[in-house]
Amino acid sequence: MTSPIDPRHLSEPGLAVLDITAADKDTAHALMDGLQQLWATSGITLIRREPGLPGVHARIHAHIRTWPPRDPLASPTGGTDIDTKVDDHVY
C-alpha cells in the first residue's frame, strides 16, 4: 500500500509527488530517469510490487521549477574553448 503524502513535499509551488505504475521495472526506471533529466527529482527510487495490483509501483518527488544538475562536459557554457559541434573522435 502507498504511504500518505507528506505535506512538506507539497509546501510550495513547483513541488510535486508522482506515483508511478509501470508494466515492469525497466519501464519504471526509464521513466524516472527521463524525469530526472527534465527536473530536480528524488532520482530513481525503490520499485515495489503490490499483491493484487498490476505492474510495479514507485513514488518520486519533483521540483519542476528547478533544473537538474548539468554535466559541464555535456553542456559547456561560457569560459571554455570546447567546440561541441566538431566530431574529433578517432575512429
Side-chain angles (χ1 to χ4, degrees), residues 4-80:
I5 296 172
D6 187 321
R8 292 177 296 168
H9 294 130
L10 301 173
S11 62
E12 64 181 80
L15 296 180
V17 177
L18 297 99
D19 286 322
I20 296 168
T21 301
D24 56 52
K25 183 175 135 178
D26 291 339
T27 302
H29 275 167
L31 176 62
M32 289 186 279
D33 184 51
L35 291 171
Q36 73 180 357
Q37 303 301 318
L38 295 173
W39 301 303
T41 72
S42 53
I44 296 177
T45 61
L46 178 68
I47 294 177
R48 62 196 184 284
R49 289 193 181 273
E50 296 182 24
L53 295 178
V56 296
H57 309 275
R59 175 177 281 176
I60 64 170
H61 302 94
H63 194 311
I64 65 168
R65 294 185 180 179
T66 304
W67 302 109
R70 293 238 172 218
D71 179 350
L73 297 178
S75 306
T77 57
T80 181

